[in-house]
Amino acid sequence: MREDKRIPAFAAGEVPKSRSLAGAFGAFVVYQALSILFYGRGMIFRLAEVHAGNRRDPQIFIWCFQWWPQAIAQRLDAFHPRIIWAPEGVDLAWVTSVPLPSLIAAPLTARYGAVVSYNLATLLMPALAALTAFLLIRRIAGSTWPAMLGGYLFGFSPYMIGHQAAGHSVLTAAFLAPVVVYLALLRLDEKVARPWLVITLATALTCQFLISLEIFATIVMFGAAALIVAWLTIPAISARIRDLAILSAMALAASIVVLTPYLYRVVVASGLSSHPLWNTTPFSTDLLEMFIPTSTLMLGHLPPLHAISSRYSHKVIENGAYIGVPLVVIVVLFLKSRWKRPEARFAAIMLAMLYVASYGARLHVAGYVLFAMPWKLLTRVPLINSAFPDRFTMYIFLIVAPIASLWIAELRASAAAKAAIVAAVVLFMLPDLNAGRFVYELDTPDFFRSGTYRNYLTQGETILALPFGEMGSAMYWQAAAKMNFGIAEGHFGPTPTSFLAWPIVGAFLDGGEIPDAPAQLNAFMATHGVTAVVFRQQDPSAAQWRAMLESGGAKLQAIDDVVLARPDPATLERLRGASAVEMECRLDDARFAALLDAADRYLAGGRPPADLSPFRAQQLGLLPPGWVRNDDGAYSSEGLWLSPENKGRVSVGVRASYACAQRLVASYGAGAAQTYFPYPRPLESHPRGDLFQRKLVMVFTREALAHAAAGARVGLRSP
């Protein structure tokens, strides 16, 4: 009798091949219909007028859908476009850039535009993810209908729903994760030869890398962890697991060889720095999240649940850890009934590992940050430290979905009872049915959409489109114009430090006003080759931008629905050699002097010292209007510090880089009782660490403050 080499826990049987393709096609049709029903009702007949997701992040993908095929066709350096964040450019190897989907969609983009390609791809991703999960689970459960549930749970999980709401097609493109698991099971069942496993797995990994570097990295990380846990917990097939691990390593190595040019650029761009690209601490799963969803789900709109989920540290879209009460009960019952089987213990350990990893460096409970968690040990590991822990939850559903399908398939109950259980599971995970949550009205002006820009903008010139960077739509406009011009801004993650160093960039991003803004803007434009500024006539900040540009000598004209401003060439020429440090020091000098003056006049007026703050000083007319937008206490979000101290002293400060802090200390430090930089550390002769735009705070006695303010007023009156 032939030995059954299949994994015992997954030996439920196989679907006859004659029904396999028909079942897969039917499942895909159902999943695609659900994707359109849930996410596409507001866009399916307006594919060129709206885009999936919210306002901000989809511009990255729409831009990439236009850039990659166009750059390759024109033989440009596709990895380092200098038409964005001009003139420096950006290295696409270390940012979200979706090269493979962009190239696959190239014919569609050429015919209908990047927005249409992106929208269709975004609607396709949940269906593809559900389909591949269906195929995996059908092999495990041996039954089509339970596998339909499993495919739905993965493809329409809270993780997928949240990122669909944000338009993160790079994160909903998770359809290869079930494929990797499927290939692993085929090898463990000895249904695929070793060479073919290496080839197919290497192909899947390579494609995943070219779709989403983040998902590729987590597949490798958690795949390796799964192999180790399986080898330790399932001794009966330890030899086959060891063989699979070796073959997987070979496939990964083959993928790395194929991707060597790309990976080289990743290493160069990242520098293998132990400093993460993002501050990932807020992007951690909350302990209560398993049971309490955010408002991306219908259930999350219930007031008691919303009151709790609104306190989560992460964004509302990062909701992948939620599985709901019915599914929790099913998982517990399944694991309890099979606990003596090693495969069940493997699943339980992997679930626990994924949840603990998703908690990040510190445990969060109802928004409160508590003690350190194991993931903190990896926060200094290059590349991995830039991963968002709450996104590991995608793999939770790669375990939970098969468990639910197996439990339903084996449940001894009537069809009506099973249907009721499935309905409860689905109801608790139903997405927000408000179609507006998943689409956003495209705001590309007619000036770009109709092609009028060709009559006013020279091909290849660099413009500044306002609002700036991530706050605006410059990348949408540039993609609509088929990259006809460059932009001295962009949105591929955090604003580059070389741009943040310019005070006008911080002012644009914060929304506040700064001293001598016209000169600051002209200096930025002069050094970045900007020859035109474009903004909507009806933008809420249009009047402010008009005044700033006109004060700086620019000539403005209204065209279609935009304002086109041309800066004065002679003015820009005089500022061509300006540096970011020079302009920041001018800003810091002016703001620190104004704060000294405001603090002195505030106290001289007999006002209560305890109420002193930048916002209060501005309310009283002691600081220029627009410098401080909100009452943030002693330290405003714009980088201004005013606060009472003990013994009648007052602290004054600004956000400054070290070179500018040195200038201020040279001017006022001798009269200060204490100086901190970076606050709260006392100033040292050679400060260590990150010294870019940190808090400089000086503490003055009342007499010293009056003396410093008198000197500051001389500078304020100087031209």
Side-chain angles (χ1 to χ4, degrees):
M1 184 176 180
R2 183 177 177 275
E3 178 187 3
D4 184 4
K5 296 184 178 181
R6 297 188 65 192
I7 304 173
F10 300 144
E14 298 182 15
V15 176
K17 292 182 179 180
S18 60
R19 294 163 48 197
S20 179
L21 287 177
F25 178 76
F28 175 73
V29 170
V30 171
Y31 295 141
Q32 188 62 73
L34 288 174
S35 180
I36 295 172
L37 176 66
F38 290 156
Y39 314 129
R41 301 194 316 276
M43 80 165 84
I44 195 64
F45 298 112
R46 305 177 64 213
L47 289 172
E49 300 169 18
V50 300
H51 62 75
N54 56 26
R55 183 192 65 78
R56 188 171 297 183
D57 289 346
Q59 63 182 309
I60 299 173
F61 310 110
I62 291 172
W63 190 93
C64 287
F65 270 66
Q66 182 64 47
W67 168 254
W68 280 104
Q70 183 172 329
I72 292 174
Q74 296 177 2
R75 299 184 179 181
L76 304 174
D77 184 353
F79 281 100
H80 198 102
R82 296 187 181 277
I83 62 170
I84 190 167
W85 293 118
E88 299 171 13
V90 63
D91 197 323
L92 296 183
W94 187 229
V95 297
T96 303
S97 61
V98 292
L100 185 58
S102 301
L103 295 175
I104 291 174
L108 199 61
T109 300
R111 178 67 179 85
Y112 298 104
V115 174
V116 173
S117 294
Y118 164 75
N119 283 337
L120 292 176
T122 304
L123 287 176
L124 179 64
M125 293 308 162
L128 278 181
L131 174 63
T132 55
F134 164 82
L135 295 173
L136 167 66
I137 296 168
R138 187 174 64 178
R139 175 167 184 81
I140 293 172
S143 179
T144 296
W145 291 110
M148 285 288 294
L149 171 64
Y152 175 86
L153 292 179
F154 182 77
F156 298 87
S157 66
Y159 164 90
M160 299 287 283
I161 293 169
H163 290 294
Q164 192 74 18
H168 292 164
S169 59
V170 70
L171 296 174
T172 57
F175 58 90
L176 287 173
V179 171
V180 169
V181 179
Y182 189 94
L183 291 172
L185 292 183
L186 285 179
R187 180 57 212 159
L188 289 175
D189 290 340
E190 298 187 351
K191 295 291 186 179
V192 62
R194 291 182 175 87
W196 280 111
L197 175 75
V198 172
I199 292 171
T200 52
L201 185 55
T203 301
L205 291 174
T206 301
C207 290
Q208 185 62 74
F209 185 98
L210 296 174
I211 296 171
S212 172
L213 176 57
E214 184 174 347
I215 294 180
F216 168 86
T218 53
I219 283 177
V220 172
M221 180 172 64
F222 289 117
L227 287 170
I228 294 171
V229 173
W231 184 76
L232 292 173
T233 57
I234 315 178
I237 58 169
S238 60
R240 279 184 275 169
I241 294 171
R242 185 171 58 250
D243 179 65
L244 174 61
I246 294 171
L247 295 174
S248 299
M250 293 172 62
L252 178 60
S255 178
I256 289 173
V257 169
V258 173
L259 294 166
T260 296
Y262 202 137
L263 285 167
Y264 172 77
R265 299 194 71 126
V266 170
V267 171
V268 170
S270 68
L272 291 181
S273 171
S274 61
H275 186 72
L277 183 64
W278 300 87
N279 174 20
T280 60
T281 301
F283 294 90
S284 302
T285 291
D286 198 280
L287 186 64
L288 303 182
E289 202 168 335
M290 181 185 294
F291 301 101
I292 301 176
T294 67
S295 60
T296 56
L297 272 62
M298 289 294 293
L299 200 64
H301 287 277
L302 294 176
L305 301 185
H306 181 71
I308 296 173
S309 67
S310 62
R311 299 175 61 180
Y312 293 162
S313 63
H314 55 68
K315 298 178 181 178
V316 67
I317 61 169
E318 307 280 359
N319 188 37
Y322 172 78
I323 58 178
V325 173
L327 206 47
V328 169
V329 172
I330 288 174
V331 170
V332 170
L333 292 175
F334 177 87
L335 294 177
K336 181 180 178 181
S337 66
R338 295 188 175 217
W339 190 249
K340 293 184 179 180
R341 300 188 185 185
E343 294 80 10
R345 294 195 293 274
F346 162 77
I349 291 171
M350 287 304 302
L351 274 176
M353 180 186 298
L354 286 165
Y355 263 110
V356 170
S358 76
Y359 294 147
R362 290 191 173 275
L363 184 65
H364 294 68
V365 181
Y368 294 102
V369 182
L370 304 180
F371 47 82
M373 296 295 288
W375 185 256
K376 188 175 178 63
L377 299 173
L378 300 177
T379 55
R380 289 292 179 181
V381 179
L383 305 183
I384 291 296
N385 59 6
S386 292
F388 287 29
D390 52 14
R391 295 178 183 176
F392 302 160
T393 55
M394 179 190 79
Y395 300 97
I396 289 174
F397 282 88
L398 207 50
I399 299 172
V400 168
I403 285 177
S405 298
L406 280 169
W407 188 82
I408 287 291
E410 297 172 359
L411 181 65
R412 294 182 179 178
S414 65
K418 288 186 176 183
I421 293 171
V422 170
V425 170
V426 171
L427 182 64
F428 270 70
M429 293 178 57
L430 202 63
D432 183 354
L433 296 180
N434 175 13
R437 175 178 280 277
F438 298 97
V439 298
Y440 196 88
E441 198 77 25
L442 199 63
D443 70 342
T444 303
D446 291 338
F447 178 74
F448 295 107
R449 201 183 299 209
S450 66
T452 304
Y453 70 90
R454 297 189 188 94
N455 301 325
Y456 296 91
L457 300 177
T458 304
Q459 184 170 1
E461 75 171 304
T462 300
I463 74 167
L464 188 64
L466 300 177
F468 183 88
E470 66 184 62
M471 308 306 295
S473 303
M475 292 172 67
Y476 290 120
W477 300 355
Q478 191 181 38
K482 295 181 170 53
M483 312 300 180
N484 184 270
F485 49 81
I487 52 176
E489 57 191 303
H491 173 47
F492 269 105
T495 301
T497 301
S498 58
F499 277 75
L500 278 178
W502 291 89
I504 195 64
V505 170
F508 281 144
L509 294 176
D510 292 338
E513 297 187 18
I514 59 174
D516 204 13
Q520 292 282 357
L521 176 58
N522 281 336
F524 175 82
M525 292 193 293
T527 54
H528 291 77
V530 174
T531 54
V533 180
V534 181
F535 54 90
R536 278 186 172 277
Q537 294 182 30
Q538 302 304 318
D539 192 284
S541 299
Q544 176 187 344
W545 297 331
R546 279 178 178 271
M548 185 192 310
L549 288 160
E550 288 173 344
S551 297
K555 294 182 179 179
L556 282 64
Q557 62 180 131
I559 308 167
D560 292 343
D561 49 353
V562 304
V563 174
L564 175 65
R566 290 286 183 183
D568 177 47
T571 301
L572 296 192
E573 186 58 36
R574 288 194 299 271
L575 292 167
R576 195 78 63 189
S579 68
V581 171
E582 174 190 346
M583 300 310 295
E584 186 204 330
C585 289
R586 286 176 56 177
L587 171 77
D588 295 339
D589 289 348
R591 297 209 297 182
F592 197 88
L595 288 167
L596 286 171
D597 175 63
D600 181 54
R601 288 194 288 151
Y602 179 92
L603 295 176
R607 300 178 181 92
D611 294 340
L612 178 61
S613 71
F615 186 78
R616 181 59 179 150
Q618 181 178 269
Q619 278 187 322
L620 295 170
L622 303 176
L623 287 176
W627 279 26
V628 185
R629 291 175 301 156
N630 301 304
D631 188 0
D632 299 319
Y635 183 64
S636 75
S637 61
E638 294 80 12
L640 305 178
W641 178 294
L642 276 182
S643 177
E645 301 290 335
N646 56 14
K647 299 181 180 179
R649 299 179 179 185
V650 173
S651 56
V652 179
V654 293
R655 184 171 55 221
S657 298
Y658 183 49
C660 301
Q662 286 179 301
R663 278 180 41 160
L664 290 170
V665 170
S667 298
Y668 304 105
Q674 293 170 301
T675 300
Y676 301 93
F677 183 83
Y679 183 87
R681 293 184 352 221
L683 177 65
E684 301 172 349
S685 56
H686 298 287
R688 301 178 305 276
D690 179 13
L691 303 180
F692 175 71
Q693 294 189 358
R694 305 297 298 277
K695 296 176 190 173
L696 168 69
V697 177
M698 298 188 201
V699 179
F700 296 91
T701 63
R702 180 66 188 92
E703 295 74 19
L705 175 67
H707 184 267
R713 291 185 189 107
V714 175
L716 288 173
R717 287 194 296 267
S718 299

